[in-house]
Amino acid sequence: MSGVEGKELRVVGFLCNWCSYGGADTAGVSRFKQPTDLRIIRVPCSGRVDPLLVVKAFMSGADGVLVSGCHPRDCHYAEGNFYARRRLEVLKRFLPFMGVEPGRFEYTWVSASEGARWQKVVTNFTEQIHNLGPLHHFGEGDGSGGDR
């Protein structure tokens, strides 16, 4: 259970293998306290996160989605995070038209050595999702996976 409000929500995190996943690992190894709501999906690069994957996560019952990759100019694949930033910024603008509050989606940059930054990012995002509450729009009672 999360220590944020006592009720665990579904937060999906797409983490770049080279930086953000390492940052989450560094936070874990350093024993930084983190919310337990986040379910991590390890991806080769944040540039590989298709915006439709984010929409699919919401349709499957996620209350929030976080995408995290390498800092700009530190991408293992040179420019993957620049592609990610462009695509995810467009997605963020479309989410309100799909009935999803923009605060339910974030993208950020965390390097492998930034365990403390990872802890702060994930804690703040999870608190933000808890303040918004569960997402009711997608999949409510239609059998698409949003059943609780």
Side-chain angles (χ1 to χ4, degrees):
M1 281 290 205
S2 171
V4 177
E5 278 192 20
K7 182 179 182 214
E8 192 165 305
L9 296 177
R10 295 178 185 174
V11 180
V12 176
F14 293 97
L15 274 57
C16 152
N17 178 54
W18 301 102
C19 289
S20 295
Y21 191 83
D25 191 41
T26 300
V29 169
S30 301
R31 298 187 184 266
F32 293 142
K33 188 173 180 179
Q34 301 176 52
T36 57
D37 304 76
L38 186 70
R39 305 297 186 261
I40 295 175
I41 299 174
R42 192 176 185 176
V43 295
C45 177
S46 59
R48 298 290 298 171
V49 178
D50 189 312
L52 291 177
L53 292 173
V54 175
V55 173
K56 177 76 175 172
F58 281 120
M59 290 177 70
S60 299
D63 299 305
V65 177
L66 175 69
V67 177
S68 187
C70 302
H71 287 283
R73 302 194 193 286
D74 285 343
C75 178
H76 185 78
Y77 300 105
E79 52 196 22
N81 50 11
F82 289 117
Y83 292 125
R85 181 171 58 189
R86 187 178 317 144
R87 289 184 201 131
L88 298 175
E89 188 60 39
V90 171
L91 172 68
K92 197 169 189 172
R93 293 179 186 179
F94 275 106
L95 286 177
F97 296 105
M98 293 185 257
V100 177
E101 297 100 332
R104 294 187 181 278
F105 172 71
E106 286 286 335
Y107 63 90
T108 187
W109 320 122
V110 176
S111 76
S113 64
E114 295 178 318
R117 175 170 160 68
W118 171 254
Q119 178 202 26
K120 184 177 177 183
V121 164
V122 74
T123 301
N124 290 344
F125 185 68
T126 303
E127 284 178 4
Q128 185 175 312
I129 299 303
H130 276 267
N131 289 337
L132 291 170
L135 179 63
H136 295 289
H137 180 72
F138 277 107
E140 191 74 15
D142 64 357
S144 66
D147 301 333
R148 303 263 166 180

